Amino acid sequence: KQLANLLTVGGEWYFFGKHVSGGVLLAFAVMISGALLATANDLAFSVAGYAWQSANCFATSSYVLYLKHATQSIDMSKFGVSSLS
Protein backbone atom coordinates (compact mmCIF):
# COMPACT_ATOMS: atom_id res chain seq x y z
CA LYS A 1 0.00 0.00 0.00
CA GLN A 2 2.93 2.34 0.54
CA LEU A 3 3.60 2.21 -3.19
CA ALA A 4 0.53 4.39 -3.82
CA ASN A 5 1.98 7.15 -1.62
CA LEU A 6 5.31 6.96 -3.40
CA LEU A 7 3.63 7.04 -6.83
CA THR A 8 1.51 10.03 -5.80
CA VAL A 9 4.51 12.02 -4.57
CA GLY A 10 6.42 11.11 -7.73
CA GLY A 11 3.45 12.16 -9.84
CA GLU A 12 3.12 15.47 -8.02
CA TRP A 13 6.80 16.11 -8.69
CA TYR A 14 6.57 15.10 -12.35
CA PHE A 15 3.25 16.73 -13.28
CA PHE A 16 2.98 19.67 -10.87
CA GLY A 17 6.62 20.48 -10.04
CA LYS A 18 6.08 19.95 -6.33
CA HIS A 19 9.27 19.25 -4.38
CA VAL A 20 9.49 17.32 -1.12
CA SER A 21 11.83 17.84 1.80
CA GLY A 22 14.63 15.53 2.84
CA GLY A 23 12.61 14.46 5.87
CA VAL A 24 9.78 13.25 3.67
CA LEU A 25 12.21 11.32 1.48
CA LEU A 26 13.76 9.75 4.59
CA ALA A 27 10.31 8.76 5.83
CA PHE A 28 9.58 7.15 2.46
CA ALA A 29 12.89 5.27 2.58
CA VAL A 30 12.08 3.89 6.03
CA MET A 31 8.53 3.00 4.95
CA ILE A 32 9.65 1.22 1.78
CA SER A 33 12.45 -0.59 3.64
CA GLY A 34 9.93 -1.88 6.16
CA ALA A 35 7.61 -3.02 3.39
CA LEU A 36 10.44 -4.86 1.62
CA LEU A 37 11.47 -6.57 4.85
CA ALA A 38 7.87 -7.64 5.42
CA THR A 39 7.56 -9.09 1.92
CA ALA A 40 10.81 -11.04 2.37
CA ASN A 41 9.04 -13.16 5.00
CA ASP A 42 5.72 -13.41 3.16
CA LEU A 43 4.71 -17.05 3.35
CA ALA A 44 1.81 -16.73 0.94
CA PHE A 45 3.45 -14.97 -2.00
CA SER A 46 1.17 -14.79 -5.00
CA VAL A 47 2.14 -13.13 -8.27
CA ALA A 48 -1.53 -12.48 -9.04
CA GLY A 49 -2.06 -10.95 -5.59
CA TYR A 50 0.88 -8.61 -5.94
CA ALA A 51 -0.20 -7.71 -9.49
CA TRP A 52 -3.68 -6.76 -8.25
CA GLN A 53 -2.20 -4.76 -5.37
CA SER A 54 0.13 -2.94 -7.77
CA ALA A 55 -2.77 -2.16 -10.10
CA ASN A 56 -4.76 -0.88 -7.12
CA CYS A 57 -1.88 1.38 -6.07
CA PHE A 58 -1.52 2.74 -9.60
CA ALA A 59 -5.26 3.38 -9.89
CA THR A 60 -5.41 5.09 -6.49
CA SER A 61 -2.45 7.32 -7.29
CA SER A 62 -3.84 8.15 -10.73
CA TYR A 63 -7.18 9.14 -9.20
CA VAL A 64 -5.53 11.41 -6.62
CA LEU A 65 -3.38 13.09 -9.27
CA TYR A 66 -6.32 13.52 -11.64
CA LEU A 67 -8.46 14.97 -8.87
CA LYS A 68 -5.71 17.45 -8.02
CA HIS A 69 -5.41 18.47 -11.66
CA ALA A 70 -9.18 18.79 -12.07
CA THR A 71 -9.64 20.90 -8.95
CA GLN A 72 -6.77 23.22 -9.92
CA SER A 73 -8.04 23.70 -13.45
CA ILE A 74 -11.58 24.73 -12.44
CA ASP A 75 -10.66 26.61 -9.24
CA MET A 76 -12.97 24.66 -6.96
CA SER A 77 -13.60 25.51 -3.31
CA LYS A 78 -12.47 23.23 -0.49
CA PHE A 79 -16.06 22.12 0.03
CA GLY A 80 -16.35 21.14 -3.62
CA VAL A 81 -13.11 19.16 -3.45
CA SER A 82 -14.26 17.28 -0.36
CA SER A 83 -17.55 16.39 -2.03
CA LEU A 84 -15.69 14.85 -4.99
CA SER A 85 -13.52 12.60 -2.90
Side-chain angles (χ1 to χ4, degrees), residues 63 67 71 76-85:
Y63 172 73
L67 190 60
T71 56
M76 187 178 285
S77 70
K78 290 187 181 211
F79 177 75
V81 171
S82 66
S83 68
L84 284 177
S85 57

Side-chain angles (χ1 to χ4, degrees), residues 4-56:
N5 296 330
L6 190 61
L7 288 172
T8 301
V9 169
E12 286 182 346
W13 169 78
Y14 184 78
F15 294 115
F16 303 113
K18 184 176 178 183
H19 296 284
V20 295
S21 67
V24 171
L25 293 176
L26 178 63
F28 275 129
V30 170
M31 186 174 62
I32 297 300
S33 298
L36 290 174
L37 287 173
T39 59
N41 294 322
D42 191 0
L43 298 177
F45 178 80
S46 167
V47 174
Y50 277 95
W52 276 108
Q53 183 62 36
S54 297
N56 185 1

Side-chain angles (χ1 to χ4, degrees), residues 1 10 12 23 35-36 46 57 64 66 68 80 83:
K1 294 189 308 189
E12 286 182 346
L36 290 174
S46 167
C57 290
V64 169
Y66 175 74
K68 182 172 185 163
S83 68

